[in-house]
Amino acid sequence: MTPLFIRTVSLRFRLTLALLLAFLLLVLDHRLSVMEPTRAVLNSIISPIQYLAVVPEQLLSRLDQNLQSRKNLRQENETLKLDMLEMQGQMQRYQFLVRENERLRNLLASEAREDSLRMVAEVIAVDSNNFSHQVVVNKGSAHGVFIGQPVLDDQGVVGQVISVGVSTARILLISDQNHALPTRSARSGIRVVVQGIGETSELDVMHVPHSSDLAEGDLLLSSGLGGVFPEGYPVARIVTIDRDDSLPFARVSARPIAHLDRIRMLLLVWQAGGEQQPVFNPIQEYRERLEGAPESEGTNPETEETAGE
Amino acid sequence: MIETSSSMGQRFVIFMTFVVALVLATMPMSFWAAAIRPDWPLLVLLYWVIALPHRVSIGIAFILGISVDILIGSSFGIHAGAYALVSYSAARHYQRIRNFSLLQQSLLMAALVAVERIIVFLIEYYLNDAQFFGQYFWPVLSSAILWPWLFLILRKVRRRFQMI
Protein backbone atom coordinates (compact mmCIF):
# COMPACT_ATOMS: atom_id res chain seq x y z
CA MET A 1 0.00 0.00 0.00
CA THR A 2 1.57 3.25 -1.06
CA PRO A 3 -0.94 5.84 0.02
CA LEU A 4 0.91 8.62 -1.78
CA PHE A 5 -0.29 7.66 -5.22
CA ILE A 6 -3.86 6.75 -4.40
CA ARG A 7 -4.42 10.03 -2.68
CA THR A 8 -2.96 12.49 -5.12
CA VAL A 9 -4.80 11.07 -8.07
CA SER A 10 -8.29 11.24 -6.64
CA LEU A 11 -8.34 14.25 -4.32
CA ARG A 12 -10.08 16.61 -6.70
CA PHE A 13 -12.40 13.88 -7.90
CA ARG A 14 -13.34 13.10 -4.31
CA LEU A 15 -14.10 16.76 -3.63
CA THR A 16 -16.36 16.95 -6.66
CA LEU A 17 -18.12 13.80 -5.55
CA ALA A 18 -18.55 15.10 -1.98
CA LEU A 19 -19.89 18.44 -3.16
CA LEU A 20 -22.30 16.81 -5.57
CA LEU A 21 -23.51 14.49 -2.83
CA ALA A 22 -23.89 17.39 -0.41
CA PHE A 23 -25.88 19.34 -2.99
CA LEU A 24 -28.08 16.32 -3.68
CA LEU A 25 -28.71 15.84 0.05
CA LEU A 26 -29.55 19.53 0.42
CA VAL A 27 -32.09 19.37 -2.36
CA LEU A 28 -33.58 16.12 -1.08
CA ASP A 29 -33.74 17.34 2.49
CA HIS A 30 -34.77 20.92 2.04
CA ARG A 31 -36.79 21.09 -1.13
CA LEU A 32 -38.41 17.69 -1.22
CA SER A 33 -38.17 16.71 2.46
CA VAL A 34 -38.05 13.01 1.69
CA MET A 35 -35.30 12.52 4.25
CA GLU A 36 -37.59 12.48 7.31
CA PRO A 37 -37.29 8.71 7.97
CA THR A 38 -33.53 8.79 7.38
CA ARG A 39 -33.19 11.72 9.71
CA ALA A 40 -35.09 9.87 12.41
CA VAL A 41 -32.75 6.88 12.13
CA LEU A 42 -29.61 9.03 12.08
CA ASN A 43 -30.91 11.03 15.05
CA SER A 44 -31.24 7.83 17.05
CA ILE A 45 -27.74 6.74 16.07
CA ILE A 46 -26.17 10.00 17.10
CA SER A 47 -28.20 10.55 20.28
CA PRO A 48 -25.51 9.01 22.56
CA ILE A 49 -23.38 12.06 21.78
CA GLN A 50 -26.17 14.32 22.93
CA TYR A 51 -26.59 12.35 26.13
CA LEU A 52 -22.83 12.42 26.66
CA ALA A 53 -22.75 16.16 26.18
CA VAL A 54 -25.09 16.84 29.11
CA VAL A 55 -23.34 14.48 31.52
CA PRO A 56 -20.95 17.10 32.98
CA GLU A 57 -23.75 19.56 33.53
CA GLN A 58 -25.95 16.93 35.17
CA LEU A 59 -23.10 15.84 37.43
CA LEU A 60 -22.48 19.44 38.44
CA SER A 61 -26.11 20.07 39.24
CA ARG A 62 -26.28 16.81 41.24
CA LEU A 63 -23.19 17.88 43.16
CA ASP A 64 -24.81 21.23 43.73
CA GLN A 65 -27.90 19.53 45.11
CA ASN A 66 -25.84 17.33 47.40
CA LEU A 67 -23.91 20.27 48.74
CA GLN A 68 -26.94 22.38 49.52
CA SER A 69 -27.20 23.18 53.15
CA ARG A 70 -29.96 21.90 55.37
CA LYS A 71 -31.15 25.43 55.97
CA ASN A 72 -31.48 26.13 52.27
CA LEU A 73 -33.39 22.94 51.74
CA ARG A 74 -35.74 23.69 54.58
CA GLN A 75 -36.32 27.17 53.23
CA GLU A 76 -37.01 25.85 49.79
CA ASN A 77 -39.35 23.27 51.24
CA GLU A 78 -41.23 25.99 53.05
CA THR A 79 -41.73 28.12 49.96
CA LEU A 80 -42.75 25.08 47.94
CA LYS A 81 -45.36 24.19 50.54
CA LEU A 82 -46.73 27.70 50.40
CA ASP A 83 -46.80 27.55 46.61
CA MET A 84 -48.55 24.22 46.77
CA LEU A 85 -51.19 25.58 49.10
CA GLU A 86 -51.85 28.48 46.81
CA MET A 87 -51.98 26.19 43.80
CA GLN A 88 -54.44 23.90 45.51
CA GLY A 89 -56.63 26.86 46.29
CA GLN A 90 -56.55 27.87 42.66
CA MET A 91 -57.10 24.27 41.61
CA GLN A 92 -60.34 24.07 43.59
CA ARG A 93 -61.56 27.12 41.80
CA TYR A 94 -60.39 25.61 38.50
CA GLN A 95 -62.31 22.40 39.15
CA PHE A 96 -65.39 24.42 39.90
CA LEU A 97 -64.96 26.41 36.70
CA VAL A 98 -64.44 23.25 34.67
CA ARG A 99 -67.66 21.77 35.98
CA GLU A 100 -69.49 24.99 35.37
CA ASN A 101 -68.05 25.22 31.87
CA GLU A 102 -69.13 21.67 31.15
CA ARG A 103 -72.66 22.42 32.36
CA LEU A 104 -72.85 25.54 30.25
CA ARG A 105 -71.53 23.72 27.21
CA ASN A 106 -74.17 21.05 27.78
CA LEU A 107 -76.80 23.75 27.95
CA LEU A 108 -75.57 25.17 24.67
CA ALA A 109 -75.43 21.64 23.26
CA SER A 110 -71.88 22.12 22.04
CA GLU A 111 -69.12 19.53 22.11
CA ALA A 112 -67.38 18.87 25.38
CA ARG A 113 -63.73 19.72 25.39
CA GLU A 114 -61.23 16.89 25.55
CA ASP A 115 -58.66 16.83 28.27
CA SER A 116 -55.04 16.62 27.30
CA LEU A 117 -52.29 14.30 28.49
CA ARG A 118 -48.88 15.64 29.31
CA MET A 119 -45.40 14.33 29.84
CA VAL A 120 -42.45 16.20 31.28
CA ALA A 121 -39.37 16.25 29.07
CA GLU A 122 -35.94 17.59 29.89
CA VAL A 123 -33.95 19.68 27.43
CA ILE A 124 -30.68 17.92 26.70
CA ALA A 125 -29.28 20.13 23.97
CA VAL A 126 -29.90 23.72 23.06
CA ASP A 127 -28.64 23.99 19.58
CA SER A 128 -25.48 25.67 18.63
CA ASN A 129 -26.94 26.21 15.19
CA ASN A 130 -26.86 29.95 14.76
CA PHE A 131 -29.66 30.18 12.25
CA SER A 132 -32.35 28.09 13.79
CA HIS A 133 -33.97 27.97 17.20
CA GLN A 134 -34.24 24.34 18.17
CA VAL A 135 -33.82 22.27 21.30
CA VAL A 136 -33.50 18.54 21.81
CA VAL A 137 -35.39 16.77 24.60
CA ASN A 138 -34.88 13.37 26.19
CA LYS A 139 -38.15 11.82 25.03
CA GLY A 140 -38.64 10.18 21.64
CA SER A 141 -40.81 7.85 19.62
CA ALA A 142 -40.43 5.22 22.38
CA HIS A 143 -42.46 7.57 24.58
CA GLY A 144 -45.06 8.22 21.92
CA VAL A 145 -43.70 11.57 20.76
CA PHE A 146 -44.80 12.42 17.22
CA ILE A 147 -43.96 15.03 14.60
CA GLY A 148 -46.09 18.14 14.93
CA GLN A 149 -46.70 17.63 18.63
CA PRO A 150 -47.23 20.84 20.62
CA VAL A 151 -44.74 21.62 23.39
CA LEU A 152 -45.39 23.93 26.34
CA ASP A 153 -43.58 25.03 29.45
CA ASP A 154 -45.08 26.16 32.73
CA GLN A 155 -45.77 29.61 31.28
CA GLY A 156 -46.92 29.15 27.73
CA VAL A 157 -46.38 27.73 24.27
CA VAL A 158 -42.77 26.84 23.45
CA GLY A 159 -42.86 25.17 20.04
CA GLN A 160 -43.55 21.96 18.18
CA VAL A 161 -41.76 18.69 17.53
CA ILE A 162 -40.11 18.58 14.10
CA SER A 163 -38.20 15.33 14.17
CA VAL A 164 -38.20 12.29 16.40
CA GLY A 165 -35.55 9.72 17.25
CA VAL A 166 -36.11 6.71 19.47
CA SER A 167 -35.17 8.48 22.69
CA THR A 168 -34.79 12.08 21.58
CA ALA A 169 -36.96 14.63 19.82
CA ARG A 170 -36.10 17.94 18.21
CA ILE A 171 -38.32 20.90 18.93
CA LEU A 172 -38.66 23.99 16.77
CA LEU A 173 -39.24 27.02 18.99
CA ILE A 174 -41.89 29.60 18.18
CA SER A 175 -39.08 32.16 17.87
CA ASP A 176 -37.58 30.39 14.84
CA GLN A 177 -37.83 32.26 11.56
CA ASN A 178 -39.64 29.36 9.97
CA HIS A 179 -42.29 29.13 12.64
CA ALA A 180 -45.69 30.81 12.69
CA LEU A 181 -48.78 30.01 14.70
CA PRO A 182 -52.34 31.29 14.73
CA THR A 183 -53.39 33.12 17.88
CA ARG A 184 -56.29 35.07 19.23
CA SER A 185 -56.23 38.17 21.37
CA ALA A 186 -57.59 37.31 24.81
CA ARG A 187 -59.19 40.75 25.14
CA SER A 188 -60.78 41.41 21.78
CA GLY A 189 -60.83 37.96 20.18
CA ILE A 190 -59.07 39.18 17.03
CA ARG A 191 -57.20 36.47 15.17
CA VAL A 192 -53.59 37.15 14.24
CA VAL A 193 -50.66 35.05 13.12
CA VAL A 194 -47.53 35.26 15.25
CA GLN A 195 -44.24 34.58 13.53
CA GLY A 196 -40.74 34.10 14.89
CA ILE A 197 -37.96 36.41 13.71
CA GLY A 198 -34.95 34.60 15.13
CA GLU A 199 -34.91 36.45 18.46
CA THR A 200 -35.76 34.59 21.64
CA SER A 201 -37.45 37.60 23.20
CA GLU A 202 -39.36 38.98 20.24
CA LEU A 203 -42.08 37.75 17.90
CA ASP A 204 -43.66 39.45 14.93
CA VAL A 205 -47.43 39.73 14.59
CA MET A 206 -48.16 39.53 10.89
CA HIS A 207 -50.61 41.33 8.64
CA VAL A 208 -52.42 43.45 11.19
CA PRO A 209 -54.69 46.10 9.61
CA HIS A 210 -54.33 49.61 11.04
CA SER A 211 -57.87 49.57 12.29
CA SER A 212 -57.70 46.30 14.21
CA ASP A 213 -58.59 46.32 17.87
CA LEU A 214 -55.24 45.33 19.34
CA ALA A 215 -53.57 47.21 22.15
CA GLU A 216 -50.18 47.15 23.82
CA GLY A 217 -50.23 44.59 26.63
CA ASP A 218 -52.80 42.33 24.97
CA LEU A 219 -52.33 38.66 25.70
CA LEU A 220 -52.32 36.40 22.63
CA LEU A 221 -53.64 32.87 23.16
CA SER A 222 -53.25 29.98 20.75
CA SER A 223 -56.43 29.78 18.71
CA GLY A 224 -56.25 26.10 17.80
CA LEU A 225 -56.95 26.95 14.17
CA GLY A 226 -53.66 25.65 12.77
CA GLY A 227 -54.46 22.16 14.00
CA VAL A 228 -51.15 21.82 15.81
CA PHE A 229 -51.57 23.72 19.05
CA PRO A 230 -54.57 23.19 21.31
CA GLU A 231 -56.73 26.21 21.97
CA GLY A 232 -56.24 28.67 24.77
CA TYR A 233 -52.60 28.47 25.79
CA PRO A 234 -50.75 31.78 26.26
CA VAL A 235 -48.29 32.52 23.47
CA ALA A 236 -47.15 36.13 23.65
CA ARG A 237 -47.93 39.57 24.96
CA ILE A 238 -47.99 42.56 22.61
CA VAL A 239 -45.20 45.00 23.40
CA THR A 240 -45.36 47.69 20.76
CA ILE A 241 -47.76 48.70 18.01
CA ASP A 242 -46.56 51.03 15.31
CA ARG A 243 -49.48 52.29 13.23
CA ASP A 244 -47.50 53.97 10.51
CA ASP A 245 -49.96 54.88 7.76
CA SER A 246 -47.33 54.75 5.06
CA LEU A 247 -47.01 51.00 5.58
CA PRO A 248 -49.63 48.53 4.37
CA PHE A 249 -49.94 46.92 7.81
CA ALA A 250 -49.39 48.01 11.38
CA ARG A 251 -46.07 46.83 12.77
CA VAL A 252 -46.80 44.83 15.90
CA SER A 253 -44.18 43.08 17.98
CA ALA A 254 -44.81 40.76 20.88
CA ARG A 255 -42.82 39.07 23.60
CA PRO A 256 -43.21 35.33 24.09
CA ILE A 257 -44.72 34.30 27.41
CA ALA A 258 -42.50 31.23 27.75
CA HIS A 259 -38.90 32.01 28.66
CA LEU A 260 -37.45 30.63 25.46
CA ASP A 261 -33.87 31.47 26.37
CA ARG A 262 -33.84 29.47 29.60
CA ILE A 263 -36.07 26.49 29.05
CA ARG A 264 -35.17 23.36 30.99
CA MET A 265 -38.29 21.37 31.65
CA LEU A 266 -40.92 21.15 28.95
CA LEU A 267 -44.36 19.61 28.69
CA LEU A 268 -45.24 17.46 25.73
CA VAL A 269 -48.98 17.48 25.11
CA TRP A 270 -51.20 14.76 23.71
CA GLN A 271 -54.89 15.20 22.98
CA ALA A 272 -56.97 12.71 24.91
CA GLY A 273 -58.57 10.26 22.52
CA GLY A 274 -56.21 11.21 19.71
CA GLU A 275 -54.34 8.87 17.41
CA GLN A 276 -51.06 9.18 19.27
CA GLN A 277 -50.86 8.37 22.95
CA PRO A 278 -48.03 8.86 25.41
CA VAL A 279 -46.04 5.87 26.61
CA PHE A 280 -44.99 6.57 30.18
CA ASN A 281 -43.02 3.40 30.67
CA PRO A 282 -41.50 2.39 27.33
CA ILE A 283 -39.54 -0.61 28.63
CA GLN A 284 -42.56 -2.18 30.25
CA GLU A 285 -44.62 -1.45 27.17
CA TYR A 286 -41.98 -3.06 24.99
CA ARG A 287 -41.96 -6.20 27.17
CA GLU A 288 -45.71 -6.43 27.03
CA ARG A 289 -45.61 -6.08 23.29
CA LEU A 290 -43.02 -8.85 23.06
CA GLU A 291 -45.12 -11.16 25.21
CA GLY A 292 -48.33 -10.46 23.41
CA ALA A 293 -46.69 -10.15 20.00
CA PRO A 294 -49.11 -12.19 17.84
CA GLU A 295 -52.13 -10.52 19.37
CA SER A 296 -50.91 -6.97 18.98
CA GLU A 297 -49.81 -7.64 15.43
CA GLY A 298 -53.35 -8.68 14.66
CA THR A 299 -54.91 -5.62 16.22
CA ASN A 300 -52.51 -2.97 15.00
CA PRO A 301 -53.56 -2.77 11.34
CA GLU A 302 -57.18 -2.49 12.35
CA THR A 303 -56.63 0.48 14.61
CA GLU A 304 -54.58 2.12 11.92
CA GLU A 305 -57.36 1.66 9.43
CA THR A 306 -59.98 3.15 11.68
CA ALA A 307 -57.68 6.05 12.35
CA GLY A 308 -57.27 6.57 8.63
CA GLU A 309 -60.99 6.62 8.02
CA MET B 1 2.53 -6.40 8.52
CA ILE B 2 2.19 -5.25 12.11
CA GLU B 3 0.37 -2.20 10.90
CA THR B 4 -2.83 -4.01 10.06
CA SER B 5 -3.30 -5.35 13.58
CA SER B 6 -2.89 -1.94 15.18
CA SER B 7 -4.60 0.05 12.45
CA MET B 8 -7.99 -0.92 13.88
CA GLY B 9 -7.02 0.56 17.24
CA GLN B 10 -5.62 3.65 15.57
CA ARG B 11 -8.80 4.13 13.65
CA PHE B 12 -10.68 3.87 16.93
CA VAL B 13 -8.46 6.57 18.43
CA ILE B 14 -9.21 8.91 15.54
CA PHE B 15 -12.90 8.10 15.85
CA MET B 16 -12.85 8.88 19.56
CA THR B 17 -11.22 12.26 19.00
CA PHE B 18 -14.08 13.08 16.64
CA VAL B 19 -16.63 11.91 19.21
CA VAL B 20 -15.05 14.13 21.86
CA ALA B 21 -15.05 17.06 19.42
CA LEU B 22 -18.75 16.53 18.67
CA VAL B 23 -19.57 16.30 22.38
CA LEU B 24 -17.70 19.55 23.02
CA ALA B 25 -19.50 21.16 20.11
CA THR B 26 -22.97 20.26 21.42
CA MET B 27 -22.39 20.65 25.14
CA PRO B 28 -24.95 23.07 26.54
CA MET B 29 -23.31 26.27 27.72
CA SER B 30 -24.25 29.71 28.83
CA PHE B 31 -25.00 32.21 26.10
CA TRP B 32 -21.58 33.86 25.98
CA ALA B 33 -19.61 30.65 26.27
CA ALA B 34 -21.67 29.21 23.43
CA ALA B 35 -21.12 32.30 21.31
CA ILE B 36 -17.33 32.02 21.44
CA ARG B 37 -17.25 28.23 21.34
CA PRO B 38 -14.49 27.23 18.90
CA ASP B 39 -15.35 25.00 15.98
CA TRP B 40 -14.11 21.78 17.64
CA PRO B 41 -15.05 19.23 14.96
CA LEU B 42 -13.49 21.25 12.15
CA LEU B 43 -10.24 21.85 14.07
CA VAL B 44 -9.84 18.17 14.97
CA LEU B 45 -10.66 17.23 11.39
CA LEU B 46 -8.08 19.65 10.01
CA TYR B 47 -5.45 18.31 12.39
CA TRP B 48 -5.94 14.77 11.15
CA VAL B 49 -6.08 15.89 7.52
CA ILE B 50 -2.73 17.61 7.90
CA ALA B 51 -1.15 14.85 9.98
CA LEU B 52 -2.53 11.78 8.18
CA PRO B 53 -3.77 12.97 4.79
CA HIS B 54 -3.87 9.45 3.37
CA ARG B 55 -6.24 8.28 6.10
CA VAL B 56 -8.41 11.25 6.90
CA SER B 57 -9.49 13.45 4.08
CA ILE B 58 -12.60 14.43 2.17
CA GLY B 59 -14.59 11.25 2.81
CA ILE B 60 -14.23 11.50 6.59
CA ALA B 61 -14.83 15.26 6.37
CA PHE B 62 -18.11 14.59 4.61
CA ILE B 63 -19.25 12.04 7.20
CA LEU B 64 -18.26 14.34 10.07
CA GLY B 65 -20.14 17.18 8.39
CA ILE B 66 -23.25 15.02 8.15
CA SER B 67 -22.97 14.20 11.86
CA VAL B 68 -22.73 17.89 12.66
CA ASP B 69 -25.78 18.53 10.47
CA ILE B 70 -27.75 15.95 12.43
CA LEU B 71 -26.58 17.20 15.81
CA ILE B 72 -27.24 20.83 15.05
CA GLY B 73 -30.42 20.19 13.14
CA SER B 74 -29.46 22.06 9.99
CA SER B 75 -30.42 20.76 6.57
CA PHE B 76 -28.40 17.74 5.47
CA GLY B 77 -25.35 18.55 3.42
CA ILE B 78 -24.65 22.09 4.59
CA HIS B 79 -21.80 21.29 6.94
CA ALA B 80 -20.88 18.20 4.95
CA GLY B 81 -20.17 20.27 1.83
CA ALA B 82 -18.40 23.01 3.75
CA TYR B 83 -16.18 20.56 5.64
CA ALA B 84 -15.34 18.71 2.43
CA LEU B 85 -14.31 21.93 0.73
CA VAL B 86 -12.18 23.17 3.60
CA SER B 87 -10.51 19.80 4.14
CA TYR B 88 -9.74 19.66 0.42
CA SER B 89 -7.59 22.77 0.63
CA ALA B 90 -5.87 21.45 3.75
CA ALA B 91 -5.26 18.02 2.19
CA ARG B 92 -3.85 19.60 -0.95
CA HIS B 93 -1.28 21.69 0.84
CA TYR B 94 -0.64 19.50 3.88
CA GLN B 95 3.13 19.40 3.30
CA ARG B 96 3.36 23.16 3.23
CA ILE B 97 1.11 23.56 6.29
CA ARG B 98 3.23 21.10 8.28
CA ASN B 99 6.21 23.41 7.84
CA PHE B 100 4.36 26.44 9.16
CA SER B 101 5.05 27.67 12.65
CA LEU B 102 2.25 27.27 15.17
CA LEU B 103 1.38 30.95 14.85
CA GLN B 104 1.14 30.71 11.08
CA GLN B 105 -0.96 27.59 11.42
CA SER B 106 -3.28 29.41 13.83
CA LEU B 107 -3.81 32.19 11.32
CA LEU B 108 -4.47 29.66 8.60
CA MET B 109 -6.97 27.82 10.80
CA ALA B 110 -8.74 31.11 11.47
CA ALA B 111 -9.00 31.64 7.73
CA LEU B 112 -10.29 28.11 7.11
CA VAL B 113 -12.86 28.33 9.91
CA ALA B 114 -13.96 31.68 8.52
CA VAL B 115 -14.35 30.17 5.05
CA GLU B 116 -16.41 27.30 6.48
CA ARG B 117 -18.68 29.69 8.37
CA ILE B 118 -19.14 31.93 5.34
CA ILE B 119 -20.17 28.93 3.23
CA VAL B 120 -22.62 27.77 5.90
CA PHE B 121 -24.05 31.25 6.24
CA LEU B 122 -24.51 31.69 2.49
CA ILE B 123 -26.34 28.39 2.16
CA GLU B 124 -28.52 29.15 5.18
CA TYR B 125 -29.19 32.62 3.81
CA TYR B 126 -30.28 31.19 0.50
CA LEU B 127 -32.40 28.40 2.02
CA ASN B 128 -33.85 29.87 5.18
CA ASP B 129 -33.39 33.64 4.93
CA ALA B 130 -30.92 33.57 7.78
CA GLN B 131 -30.07 36.91 9.39
CA PHE B 132 -26.44 37.84 9.83
CA PHE B 133 -25.13 38.88 13.21
CA GLY B 134 -21.66 39.91 14.33
CA GLN B 135 -21.16 37.22 16.95
CA TYR B 136 -21.20 34.67 14.19
CA PHE B 137 -17.50 35.18 13.53
CA TRP B 138 -16.26 35.08 17.12
CA PRO B 139 -15.51 31.36 16.91
CA VAL B 140 -12.95 32.22 14.21
CA LEU B 141 -10.90 34.03 16.83
CA SER B 142 -11.39 31.43 19.55
CA SER B 143 -10.49 28.65 17.12
CA ALA B 144 -7.25 30.41 16.26
CA ILE B 145 -6.41 30.78 19.94
CA LEU B 146 -7.26 27.15 20.61
CA TRP B 147 -5.30 25.72 17.69
CA PRO B 148 -1.76 25.58 19.19
CA TRP B 149 -2.99 23.74 22.31
CA LEU B 150 -5.16 21.39 20.31
CA PHE B 151 -2.29 20.75 17.92
CA LEU B 152 0.08 19.83 20.75
CA ILE B 153 -2.46 17.57 22.46
CA LEU B 154 -3.42 15.75 19.30
CA ARG B 155 0.22 15.38 18.30
CA LYS B 156 0.85 13.75 21.66
CA VAL B 157 -2.07 11.41 21.05
CA ARG B 158 -0.82 10.61 17.57
CA ARG B 159 2.73 9.84 18.79
CA ARG B 160 1.45 7.83 21.71
CA PHE B 161 -0.37 5.49 19.36
CA GLN B 162 2.43 5.63 16.81
CA MET B 163 0.36 6.85 13.95
CA ILE B 164 2.49 7.94 11.06
Side-chain angles (χ1 to χ4, degrees), chain A residues 178-194:
Chain A
N178 289 323
H179 196 280
L181 82 162
T183 61
R184 178 180 284 141
S185 162
R187 187 179 55 85
S188 57
I190 286 186
R191 282 172 283 116
V192 283
V193 174
V194 172

mmCIF file of all heavy atoms in Angstrom, chain A residues 178-194:
data_model
loop_
_atom_site.group_PDB
_atom_site.id
_atom_site.type_symbol
_atom_site.label_atom_id
_atom_site.label_comp_id
_atom_site.label_asym_id
_atom_site.label_seq_id
_atom_site.Cartn_x
_atom_site.Cartn_y
_atom_site.Cartn_z
ATOM 1 N N ASN A 178 -38.744 30.160 10.799
ATOM 2 C CA ASN A 178 -39.644 29.361 9.971
ATOM 3 C C ASN A 178 -40.897 28.947 10.713
ATOM 4 O O ASN A 178 -41.608 28.064 10.282
ATOM 5 C CB ASN A 178 -38.918 28.107 9.485
ATOM 6 C CG ASN A 178 -37.872 28.447 8.470
ATOM 7 O OD1 ASN A 178 -38.073 29.341 7.657
ATOM 8 N ND2 ASN A 178 -36.745 27.784 8.536
ATOM 9 N N HIS A 179 -41.138 29.548 11.867
ATOM 10 C CA HIS A 179 -42.289 29.128 12.641
ATOM 11 C C HIS A 179 -43.333 30.235 12.740
ATOM 12 O O HIS A 179 -43.013 31.381 12.998
ATOM 13 C CB HIS A 179 -41.860 28.723 14.048
ATOM 14 C CG HIS A 179 -42.915 27.933 14.768
ATOM 15 N ND1 HIS A 179 -43.980 28.540 15.373
ATOM 16 C CD2 HIS A 179 -43.077 26.613 14.934
ATOM 17 C CE1 HIS A 179 -44.754 27.594 15.898
ATOM 18 N NE2 HIS A 179 -44.230 26.422 15.645
ATOM 19 N N ALA A 180 -44.584 29.875 12.503
ATOM 20 C CA ALA A 180 -45.690 30.815 12.691
ATOM 21 C C ALA A 180 -46.843 30.058 13.313
ATOM 22 O O ALA A 180 -47.009 28.861 13.060
ATOM 23 C CB ALA A 180 -46.110 31.414 11.359
ATOM 24 N N LEU A 181 -47.614 30.716 14.172
ATOM 25 C CA LEU A 181 -48.777 30.005 14.699
ATOM 26 C C LEU A 181 -49.944 30.971 14.865
ATOM 27 O O LEU A 181 -49.756 32.156 15.131
ATOM 28 C CB LEU A 181 -48.454 29.287 16.016
ATOM 29 C CG LEU A 181 -48.471 30.036 17.343
ATOM 30 C CD1 LEU A 181 -48.556 29.049 18.475
ATOM 31 C CD2 LEU A 181 -47.232 30.864 17.475
ATOM 32 N N PRO A 182 -51.156 30.455 14.635
ATOM 33 C CA PRO A 182 -52.345 31.290 14.728
ATOM 34 C C PRO A 182 -52.724 31.534 16.186
ATOM 35 O O PRO A 182 -52.715 30.615 16.991
ATOM 36 C CB PRO A 182 -53.425 30.452 14.036
ATOM 37 C CG PRO A 182 -52.945 29.054 14.133
ATOM 38 C CD PRO A 182 -51.466 29.089 14.187
ATOM 39 N N THR A 183 -53.028 32.784 16.503
ATOM 40 C CA THR A 183 -53.393 33.121 17.878
ATOM 41 C C THR A 183 -54.646 33.986 17.877
ATOM 42 O O THR A 183 -55.131 34.411 16.824
ATOM 43 C CB THR A 183 -52.283 33.923 18.576
ATOM 44 O OG1 THR A 183 -52.096 35.138 17.857
ATOM 45 C CG2 THR A 183 -51.003 33.149 18.633
ATOM 46 N N ARG A 184 -55.121 34.229 19.073
ATOM 47 C CA ARG A 184 -56.292 35.066 19.225
ATOM 48 C C ARG A 184 -56.037 35.980 20.409
ATOM 49 O O ARG A 184 -55.500 35.557 21.421
ATOM 50 C CB ARG A 184 -57.506 34.175 19.469
ATOM 51 C CG ARG A 184 -58.787 34.895 19.697
ATOM 52 C CD ARG A 184 -59.896 33.913 19.923
ATOM 53 N NE ARG A 184 -60.334 33.284 18.680
ATOM 54 C CZ ARG A 184 -60.674 32.012 18.578
ATOM 55 N NH1 ARG A 184 -60.582 31.223 19.628
ATOM 56 N NH2 ARG A 184 -61.090 31.525 17.448
ATOM 57 N N SER A 185 -56.416 37.243 20.263
ATOM 58 C CA SER A 185 -56.232 38.173 21.374
ATOM 59 C C SER A 185 -57.225 37.829 22.476
ATOM 60 O O SER A 185 -58.418 37.672 22.235
ATOM 61 C CB SER A 185 -56.456 39.601 20.889
ATOM 62 O OG SER A 185 -56.691 40.431 21.995
ATOM 63 N N ALA A 186 -56.716 37.709 23.702
ATOM 64 C CA ALA A 186 -57.589 37.309 24.807
ATOM 65 C C ALA A 186 -58.631 38.399 25.097
ATOM 66 O O ALA A 186 -59.727 38.111 25.547
ATOM 67 C CB ALA A 186 -56.765 37.040 26.067
ATOM 68 N N ARG A 187 -58.283 39.649 24.812
ATOM 69 C CA ARG A 187 -59.187 40.751 25.143
ATOM 70 C C ARG A 187 -60.259 40.950 24.080
ATOM 71 O O ARG A 187 -61.453 40.968 24.363
ATOM 72 C CB ARG A 187 -58.382 42.049 25.309
ATOM 73 C CG ARG A 187 -59.177 43.229 25.808
ATOM 74 C CD ARG A 187 -58.272 44.434 25.948
ATOM 75 N NE ARG A 187 -57.577 44.736 24.693
ATOM 76 C CZ ARG A 187 -58.116 45.474 23.727
ATOM 77 N NH1 ARG A 187 -59.312 46.000 23.854
ATOM 78 N NH2 ARG A 187 -57.437 45.688 22.611
ATOM 79 N N SER A 188 -59.819 41.053 22.818
ATOM 80 C CA SER A 188 -60.775 41.415 21.777
ATOM 81 C C SER A 188 -61.161 40.246 20.876
ATOM 82 O O SER A 188 -62.068 40.362 20.061
ATOM 83 C CB SER A 188 -60.190 42.536 20.917
ATOM 84 O OG SER A 188 -58.968 42.122 20.371
ATOM 85 N N GLY A 189 -60.465 39.113 20.993
ATOM 86 C CA GLY A 189 -60.829 37.959 20.179
ATOM 87 C C GLY A 189 -60.367 38.046 18.743
ATOM 88 O O GLY A 189 -60.746 37.217 17.914
ATOM 89 N N ILE A 190 -59.542 39.038 18.412
ATOM 90 C CA ILE A 190 -59.067 39.176 17.032
ATOM 91 C C ILE A 190 -58.016 38.124 16.720
ATOM 92 O O ILE A 190 -57.142 37.856 17.533
ATOM 93 C CB ILE A 190 -58.489 40.594 16.829
ATOM 94 C CG1 ILE A 190 -59.657 41.550 16.752
ATOM 95 C CG2 ILE A 190 -57.622 40.672 15.594
ATOM 96 C CD1 ILE A 190 -59.290 42.927 16.422
ATOM 97 N N ARG A 191 -58.137 37.518 15.542
ATOM 98 C CA ARG A 191 -57.199 36.470 15.175
ATOM 99 C C ARG A 191 -55.991 37.057 14.457
ATOM 100 O O ARG A 191 -56.149 37.838 13.514
ATOM 101 C CB ARG A 191 -57.875 35.452 14.257
ATOM 102 C CG ARG A 191 -58.758 34.476 14.986
ATOM 103 C CD ARG A 191 -59.530 33.634 14.023
ATOM 104 N NE ARG A 191 -60.648 34.358 13.436
ATOM 105 C CZ ARG A 191 -60.753 34.647 12.166
ATOM 106 N NH1 ARG A 191 -59.816 34.289 11.327
ATOM 107 N NH2 ARG A 191 -61.802 35.301 11.713
ATOM 108 N N VAL A 192 -54.813 36.713 14.917
ATOM 109 C CA VAL A 192 -53.589 37.145 14.243
ATOM 110 C C VAL A 192 -52.601 35.979 14.199
ATOM 111 O O VAL A 192 -52.682 35.056 15.000
ATOM 112 C CB VAL A 192 -52.900 38.328 14.966
ATOM 113 C CG1 VAL A 192 -53.608 39.626 14.688
ATOM 114 C CG2 VAL A 192 -52.807 38.061 16.455
ATOM 115 N N VAL A 193 -51.700 36.065 13.227
ATOM 116 C CA VAL A 193 -50.657 35.047 13.125
ATOM 117 C C VAL A 193 -49.369 35.611 13.709
ATOM 118 O O VAL A 193 -48.965 36.720 13.383
ATOM 119 C CB VAL A 193 -50.437 34.628 11.657
ATOM 120 C CG1 VAL A 193 -49.243 33.686 11.559
ATOM 121 C CG2 VAL A 193 -51.673 33.939 11.119
ATOM 122 N N VAL A 194 -48.756 34.833 14.602
ATOM 123 C CA VAL A 194 -47.527 35.264 15.250
ATOM 124 C C VAL A 194 -46.355 34.490 14.660
ATOM 125 O O VAL A 194 -46.370 33.272 14.638
ATOM 126 C CB VAL A 194 -47.603 35.004 16.773
ATOM 127 C CG1 VAL A 194 -46.270 35.274 17.421
ATOM 128 C CG2 VAL A 194 -48.675 35.870 17.390
#
